[in-house]
PDB file of all heavy atoms in Angstrom:
ATOM      1  N   VAL A  14     -24.537  -2.699  -6.482  1.00 35.00           N
ATOM      2  CA  VAL A  14     -24.373  -1.253  -6.632  1.00 35.00           C
ATOM      3  C   VAL A  14     -25.534  -0.726  -7.465  1.00 35.00           C
ATOM      4  O   VAL A  14     -25.759  -1.182  -8.577  1.00 35.00           O
ATOM      5  CB  VAL A  14     -23.040  -0.911  -7.327  1.00 35.00           C
ATOM      6  CG1 VAL A  14     -22.911   0.591  -7.520  1.00 35.00           C
ATOM      7  CG2 VAL A  14     -21.882  -1.448  -6.518  1.00 35.00           C
ATOM      8  N   GLU A  27     -16.902   2.915 -14.738  1.00 56.00           N
ATOM      9  CA  GLU A  27     -16.845   2.386 -13.379  1.00 56.00           C
ATOM     10  C   GLU A  27     -16.793   0.857 -13.402  1.00 56.00           C
ATOM     11  O   GLU A  27     -16.058   0.235 -12.636  1.00 56.00           O
ATOM     12  CB  GLU A  27     -18.062   2.866 -12.575  1.00 56.00           C
ATOM     13  CG  GLU A  27     -18.104   4.357 -12.318  1.00 56.00           C
ATOM     14  CD  GLU A  27     -16.944   4.815 -11.437  1.00 56.00           C
ATOM     15  OE1 GLU A  27     -16.587   4.079 -10.503  1.00 56.00           O
ATOM     16  OE2 GLU A  27     -16.407   5.898 -11.680  1.00 56.00           O
ATOM     17  N   MET A  36      -8.550  -7.918 -11.092  1.00 43.00           N
ATOM     18  CA  MET A  36      -7.561  -8.790 -11.723  1.00 43.00           C
ATOM     19  C   MET A  36      -8.217 -10.083 -12.192  1.00 43.00           C
ATOM     20  O   MET A  36      -7.674 -11.179 -12.059  1.00 43.00           O
ATOM     21  CB  MET A  36      -6.421  -9.101 -10.732  1.00 43.00           C
ATOM     22  CG  MET A  36      -5.677  -7.869 -10.255  1.00 43.00           C
ATOM     23  SD  MET A  36      -4.765  -7.061 -11.575  1.00 43.00           S
ATOM     24  CE  MET A  36      -3.427  -8.213 -11.789  1.00 43.00           C
ATOM     25  N   PRO A  44     -28.347  -8.018 -18.568  1.00 39.00           N
ATOM     26  CA  PRO A  44     -29.287  -8.980 -19.152  1.00 39.00           C
ATOM     27  C   PRO A  44     -28.827  -9.406 -20.535  1.00 39.00           C
ATOM     28  O   PRO A  44     -29.447  -9.118 -21.543  1.00 39.00           O
ATOM     29  CB  PRO A  44     -30.601  -8.187 -19.203  1.00 39.00           C
ATOM     30  CG  PRO A  44     -30.152  -6.786 -19.390  1.00 39.00           C
ATOM     31  CD  PRO A  44     -28.887  -6.655 -18.593  1.00 39.00           C
ATOM     32  N   LEU A  49     -22.793 -14.777 -17.915  1.00 31.00           N
ATOM     33  CA  LEU A  49     -22.321 -15.456 -16.713  1.00 31.00           C
ATOM     34  C   LEU A  49     -21.361 -16.596 -17.045  1.00 31.00           C
ATOM     35  O   LEU A  49     -20.481 -16.905 -16.271  1.00 31.00           O
ATOM     36  CB  LEU A  49     -23.507 -15.968 -15.893  1.00 31.00           C
ATOM     37  CG  LEU A  49     -24.339 -14.873 -15.231  1.00 31.00           C
ATOM     38  CD1 LEU A  49     -25.475 -15.484 -14.431  1.00 31.00           C
ATOM     39  CD2 LEU A  49     -23.477 -14.001 -14.340  1.00 31.00           C
ATOM     40  N   THR A  53     -17.552 -17.007 -15.482  1.00 31.00           N
ATOM     41  CA  THR A  53     -16.939 -18.210 -14.927  1.00 31.00           C
ATOM     42  C   THR A  53     -15.564 -18.446 -15.541  1.00 31.00           C
ATOM     43  O   THR A  53     -14.593 -18.748 -14.858  1.00 31.00           O
ATOM     44  CB  THR A  53     -17.834 -19.438 -15.188  1.00 31.00           C
ATOM     45  OG1 THR A  53     -19.106 -19.205 -14.604  1.00 31.00           O
ATOM     46  CG2 THR A  53     -17.213 -20.686 -14.585  1.00 31.00           C
ATOM     47  N   ILE A  70     -19.111  -5.237 -22.508  1.00 38.00           N
ATOM     48  CA  ILE A  70     -19.506  -4.138 -21.628  1.00 38.00           C
ATOM     49  C   ILE A  70     -19.489  -2.819 -22.386  1.00 38.00           C
ATOM     50  O   ILE A  70     -20.358  -1.968 -22.223  1.00 38.00           O
ATOM     51  CB  ILE A  70     -18.550  -4.047 -20.420  1.00 38.00           C
ATOM     52  CG1 ILE A  70     -18.735  -5.277 -19.527  1.00 38.00           C
ATOM     53  CG2 ILE A  70     -18.812  -2.787 -19.612  1.00 38.00           C
ATOM     54  CD1 ILE A  70     -17.701  -5.375 -18.445  1.00 38.00           C
ATOM     55  N   SER A  74     -25.104  -1.181 -27.083  1.00 37.00           N
ATOM     56  CA  SER A  74     -26.398  -1.816 -26.822  1.00 37.00           C
ATOM     57  C   SER A  74     -26.525  -2.311 -25.395  1.00 37.00           C
ATOM     58  O   SER A  74     -27.623  -2.559 -24.913  1.00 37.00           O
ATOM     59  CB  SER A  74     -26.596  -2.994 -27.786  1.00 37.00           C
ATOM     60  OG  SER A  74     -25.572  -3.963 -27.597  1.00 37.00           O
ATOM     61  N   VAL A 101       3.235   6.055   8.507  1.00 98.00           N
ATOM     62  CA  VAL A 101       2.163   7.045   8.356  1.00 98.00           C
ATOM     63  C   VAL A 101       2.579   8.110   7.356  1.00 98.00           C
ATOM     64  O   VAL A 101       1.811   8.486   6.462  1.00 98.00           O
ATOM     65  CB  VAL A 101       1.814   7.684   9.711  1.00 98.00           C
ATOM     66  CG1 VAL A 101       0.672   8.678   9.539  1.00 98.00           C
ATOM     67  CG2 VAL A 101       1.435   6.619  10.726  1.00 98.00           C
ATOM     68  N   ALA A 113     -10.402   0.515   5.051  1.00 95.00           N
ATOM     69  CA  ALA A 113     -11.794   0.891   4.819  1.00 95.00           C
ATOM     70  C   ALA A 113     -12.441   0.008   3.756  1.00 95.00           C
ATOM     71  O   ALA A 113     -13.655  -0.226   3.786  1.00 95.00           O
ATOM     72  CB  ALA A 113     -11.879   2.361   4.413  1.00 95.00           C
ATOM     73  N   ARG A 130      19.682   8.393  19.318  1.00 63.00           N
ATOM     74  CA  ARG A 130      19.590   9.734  19.893  1.00 63.00           C
ATOM     75  C   ARG A 130      20.039   9.786  21.359  1.00 63.00           C
ATOM     76  O   ARG A 130      20.126  10.864  21.938  1.00 63.00           O
ATOM     77  CB  ARG A 130      18.145  10.239  19.815  1.00 63.00           C
ATOM     78  CG  ARG A 130      17.539  10.185  18.423  1.00 63.00           C
ATOM     79  CD  ARG A 130      16.094  10.599  18.447  1.00 63.00           C
ATOM     80  NE  ARG A 130      15.457  10.416  17.146  1.00 63.00           N
ATOM     81  CZ  ARG A 130      14.186  10.687  16.887  1.00 63.00           C
ATOM     82  NH1 ARG A 130      13.401  11.162  17.853  1.00 63.00           N
ATOM     83  NH2 ARG A 130      13.680  10.481  15.683  1.00 63.00           N
ATOM     84  N   ASP A 133      22.249   7.501  27.195  1.00 62.00           N
ATOM     85  CA  ASP A 133      21.754   6.878  28.418  1.00 62.00           C
ATOM     86  C   ASP A 133      20.736   5.790  28.054  1.00 62.00           C
ATOM     87  O   ASP A 133      19.702   6.073  27.438  1.00 62.00           O
ATOM     88  CB  ASP A 133      21.099   7.939  29.309  1.00 62.00           C
ATOM     89  CG  ASP A 133      20.657   7.363  30.648  1.00 62.00           C
ATOM     90  OD1 ASP A 133      19.627   6.673  30.664  1.00 62.00           O
ATOM     91  OD2 ASP A 133      21.339   7.613  31.651  1.00 62.00           O
ATOM     92  N   ARG A 144       7.431   4.976  22.014  1.00 87.00           N
ATOM     93  CA  ARG A 144       7.306   4.874  20.558  1.00 87.00           C
ATOM     94  C   ARG A 144       6.497   3.638  20.166  1.00 87.00           C
ATOM     95  O   ARG A 144       5.724   3.657  19.207  1.00 87.00           O
ATOM     96  CB  ARG A 144       8.687   4.828  19.900  1.00 87.00           C
ATOM     97  CG  ARG A 144       9.438   6.152  19.916  1.00 87.00           C
ATOM     98  CD  ARG A 144       8.786   7.193  19.017  1.00 87.00           C
ATOM     99  NE  ARG A 144       8.915   6.910  17.616  1.00 87.00           N
ATOM    100  CZ  ARG A 144       9.944   7.289  16.862  1.00 87.00           C
ATOM    101  NH1 ARG A 144      10.947   7.969  17.387  1.00 87.00           N
ATOM    102  NH2 ARG A 144       9.978   7.015  15.565  1.00 87.00           N
ATOM    103  N   SER A 168      21.367   2.432  11.860  1.00 93.00           N
ATOM    104  CA  SER A 168      22.578   1.600  11.780  1.00 93.00           C
ATOM    105  C   SER A 168      22.274   0.255  11.141  1.00 93.00           C
ATOM    106  O   SER A 168      22.906  -0.742  11.465  1.00 93.00           O
ATOM    107  CB  SER A 168      23.174   1.388  13.185  1.00 93.00           C
ATOM    108  OG  SER A 168      23.567   2.604  13.770  1.00 93.00           O
ATOM    109  N   THR A 171      25.075  -1.908   9.975  1.00 95.00           N
ATOM    110  CA  THR A 171      25.983  -2.588  10.917  1.00 95.00           C
ATOM    111  C   THR A 171      25.543  -4.021  11.201  1.00 95.00           C
ATOM    112  O   THR A 171      26.210  -4.723  11.960  1.00 95.00           O
ATOM    113  CB  THR A 171      26.075  -1.821  12.248  1.00 95.00           C
ATOM    114  OG1 THR A 171      24.793  -1.852  12.903  1.00 95.00           O
ATOM    115  CG2 THR A 171      26.506  -0.381  12.018  1.00 95.00           C
ATOM    116  N   HIS A 205      16.267   3.334   5.527  1.00 98.00           N
ATOM    117  CA  HIS A 205      15.251   3.250   4.487  1.00 98.00           C
ATOM    118  C   HIS A 205      15.788   2.486   3.276  1.00 98.00           C
ATOM    119  O   HIS A 205      15.106   1.615   2.713  1.00 98.00           O
ATOM    120  CB  HIS A 205      14.820   4.647   4.038  1.00 98.00           C
ATOM    121  CG  HIS A 205      14.126   5.449   5.098  1.00 98.00           C
ATOM    122  ND1 HIS A 205      13.494   6.641   4.817  1.00 98.00           N
ATOM    123  CD2 HIS A 205      13.970   5.233   6.420  1.00 98.00           C
ATOM    124  CE1 HIS A 205      12.978   7.133   5.932  1.00 98.00           C
ATOM    125  NE2 HIS A 205      13.262   6.296   6.922  1.00 98.00           N
ATOM    126  N   ALA A 208      16.100  -1.158   4.137  1.00 98.00           N
ATOM    127  CA  ALA A 208      14.772  -1.774   4.296  1.00 98.00           C
ATOM    128  C   ALA A 208      14.192  -2.120   2.934  1.00 98.00           C
ATOM    129  O   ALA A 208      13.587  -3.185   2.744  1.00 98.00           O
ATOM    130  CB  ALA A 208      13.844  -0.833   5.052  1.00 98.00           C
ATOM    131  N   THR A 214      14.495  -8.396  -1.667  1.00 98.00           N
ATOM    132  CA  THR A 214      15.051  -9.747  -1.547  1.00 98.00           C
ATOM    133  C   THR A 214      14.015 -10.715  -0.983  1.00 98.00           C
ATOM    134  O   THR A 214      13.829 -11.820  -1.499  1.00 98.00           O
ATOM    135  CB  THR A 214      16.300  -9.739  -0.645  1.00 98.00           C
ATOM    136  OG1 THR A 214      17.256  -8.812  -1.152  1.00 98.00           O
ATOM    137  CG2 THR A 214      16.930 -11.124  -0.575  1.00 98.00           C
ATOM    138  N   THR A 232       9.033   9.205   1.695  1.00 97.00           N
ATOM    139  CA  THR A 232       9.049   9.571   3.107  1.00 97.00           C
ATOM    140  C   THR A 232       9.582  10.991   3.233  1.00 97.00           C
ATOM    141  O   THR A 232      10.763  11.237   2.943  1.00 97.00           O
ATOM    142  CB  THR A 232       9.936   8.620   3.934  1.00 97.00           C
ATOM    143  OG1 THR A 232       9.600   7.270   3.637  1.00 97.00           O
ATOM    144  CG2 THR A 232       9.735   8.867   5.430  1.00 97.00           C
ATOM    145  N   SER A 251       2.782   5.254  -9.793  1.00 96.00           N
ATOM    146  CA  SER A 251       1.426   4.915  -9.370  1.00 96.00           C
ATOM    147  C   SER A 251       0.972   5.924  -8.328  1.00 96.00           C
ATOM    148  O   SER A 251       1.782   6.400  -7.517  1.00 96.00           O
ATOM    149  CB  SER A 251       1.369   3.504  -8.775  1.00 96.00           C
ATOM    150  OG  SER A 251       1.812   2.541  -9.697  1.00 96.00           O
ATOM    151  N   VAL A 253      -2.340   6.796  -5.525  1.00 97.00           N
ATOM    152  CA  VAL A 253      -3.553   6.337  -4.859  1.00 97.00           C
ATOM    153  C   VAL A 253      -4.325   7.553  -4.358  1.00 97.00           C
ATOM    154  O   VAL A 253      -3.778   8.391  -3.629  1.00 97.00           O
ATOM    155  CB  VAL A 253      -3.226   5.401  -3.677  1.00 97.00           C
ATOM    156  CG1 VAL A 253      -4.498   5.017  -2.920  1.00 97.00           C
ATOM    157  CG2 VAL A 253      -2.512   4.152  -4.173  1.00 97.00           C
ATOM    158  N   ASP A 283       0.548  20.146   8.344  1.00 96.00           N
ATOM    159  CA  ASP A 283       0.179  21.027   7.243  1.00 96.00           C
ATOM    160  C   ASP A 283       0.944  20.667   5.966  1.00 96.00           C
ATOM    161  O   ASP A 283       0.368  20.624   4.869  1.00 96.00           O
ATOM    162  CB  ASP A 283       0.456  22.482   7.629  1.00 96.00           C
ATOM    163  CG  ASP A 283      -0.016  23.463   6.565  1.00 96.00           C
ATOM    164  OD1 ASP A 283      -1.208  23.438   6.217  1.00 96.00           O
ATOM    165  OD2 ASP A 283       0.816  24.252   6.078  1.00 96.00           O
TER     166      ASP A 283
END
Side-chain angles (χ1 to χ4, degrees):
V14 178
E27 294 295 322
M36 300 294 287
L49 290 181
T53 302
I70 292 171
S74 61
V101 182
R130 306 176 186 179
D133 184 284
R144 288 292 290 272
S168 298
T171 65
H205 295 190
T214 304
T232 311
S251 302
V253 175
D283 185 57

